[in-house]
């Protein structure tokens, strides 16, 4: 199967996508040919990515994300700080990211709020109930936690859209 892939020219760096892609490929003990076959590009395209001459296009990044089981954010070495758009938890590690029903990583939500294409909390009130009980303490009483979450959660993408 052959597909057309759009790439973007970039400058070579020592910590960017080129190094990350090569490291992930070598960690999986894949040759450039094997990786190319899995993401429907030529071996030369993989070589250009690893040499920092180009970066994969959006659709290819999605495939690479699945092959390496990491987020697109990780593939690009982007310093963007991810936050769960349901509960507000910082997503500092790919292991915290949610999954779609097909296994693809979803960078918008944590694995506790969203899994297999479905949200765990049907209403904001149900999430506030959980969070205010789970994270309250003597220093942060439940009513203070509840007030904080009631103010913070509506600003997040998931609740702003509902």
């Amino acid at each position: 199967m052959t597909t057309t892939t759009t790439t973007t020219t970039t400058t070579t760096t020592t910590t960017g996508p080129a190094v990350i892609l090569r490291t992930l490929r070598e960690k999986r003990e894949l040759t450039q040919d094997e990786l190319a076959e899995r993401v429907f590009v030529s071996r030369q395209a993989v070589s250009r990515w690893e040499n920092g001459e180009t970066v994969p296009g959006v659709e290819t990044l999605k495939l690479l994300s699945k092959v390496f089981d990491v987020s697109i954010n990780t593939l690009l070495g982007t310093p963007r700080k991810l936050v769960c758009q349901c509960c507000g938890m910082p997503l500092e590690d790919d292991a915290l990211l949610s999954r779609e029903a097909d296994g693809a990583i979803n960078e918008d939500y944590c694995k506790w709020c969203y899994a297999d294409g479905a949200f765990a909390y049907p209403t904001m009130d149900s999430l506030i109930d959980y969070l205010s009980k789970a994270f309250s303490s003597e220093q942060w009483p439940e009513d203070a936690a509840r007030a904080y979450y009631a103010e913070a959660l509506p600003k997040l993408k998931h609740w702003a859209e509902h």
Side-chain angles (χ1 to χ4, degrees):
M1 176 178 179
T2 303
T3 60
T4 304
T5 303
T6 304
T7 57
T8 306
T9 303
T10 188
T11 56
T12 304
T13 64
T14 58
T15 59
V19 172
I20 293 166
L21 287 168
R22 180 181 298 117
T23 301
L24 288 169
R25 179 182 60 77
E26 290 172 350
K27 193 181 283 187
R28 300 273 187 312
E29 298 181 352
L30 294 171
T31 65
Q32 287 183 342
D33 283 319
E34 290 167 333
L35 178 58
E37 186 175 311
R38 288 186 184 192
V39 296
F40 310 109
V41 298
S42 67
R43 184 207 53 78
Q44 291 83 358
V46 173
S47 176
R48 287 192 301 271
W49 302 336
E50 292 183 358
N51 288 325
E53 296 170 23
T54 63
V55 293
V58 173
E59 293 305 314
T60 304
L61 284 168
K62 290 177 184 177
L63 292 171
L64 289 165
S65 174
K66 284 184 180 182
V67 168
F68 294 130
D69 197 31
V70 298
S71 69
I72 292 172
N73 198 40
T74 296
L75 287 173
L76 294 176
T78 307
R80 181 173 68 121
K81 301 290 184 200
L82 300 175
V83 174
C84 177
Q85 293 299 304
C86 184
C87 71
M89 181 177 86
L91 301 173
E92 297 169 347
D93 186 305
D94 282 353
L96 301 175
L97 297 174
S98 64
R99 301 280 179 163
E100 295 292 346
D102 67 359
I105 291 174
N106 182 322
E107 294 182 337
D108 287 337
Y109 303 104
C110 71
K111 65 183 181 180
W112 295 283
C113 288
Y114 184 82
D116 297 324
F119 287 96
Y121 301 96
T123 66
M124 188 181 338
D125 286 337
S126 64
L127 178 57
I128 290 171
D129 287 344
Y130 170 75
L131 293 172
S132 61
K133 288 180 177 112
F135 295 106
S136 60
S137 66
E138 193 172 298
Q139 293 80 24
W140 199 37
E142 190 173 328
D143 60 334
R146 181 173 293 285
Y148 169 79
Y149 290 119
E151 183 180 331
L153 295 182
K155 297 173 186 171
L156 299 172
K157 176 182 165 183
H158 177 65
W159 303 114
E161 293 175 351
H162 289 92

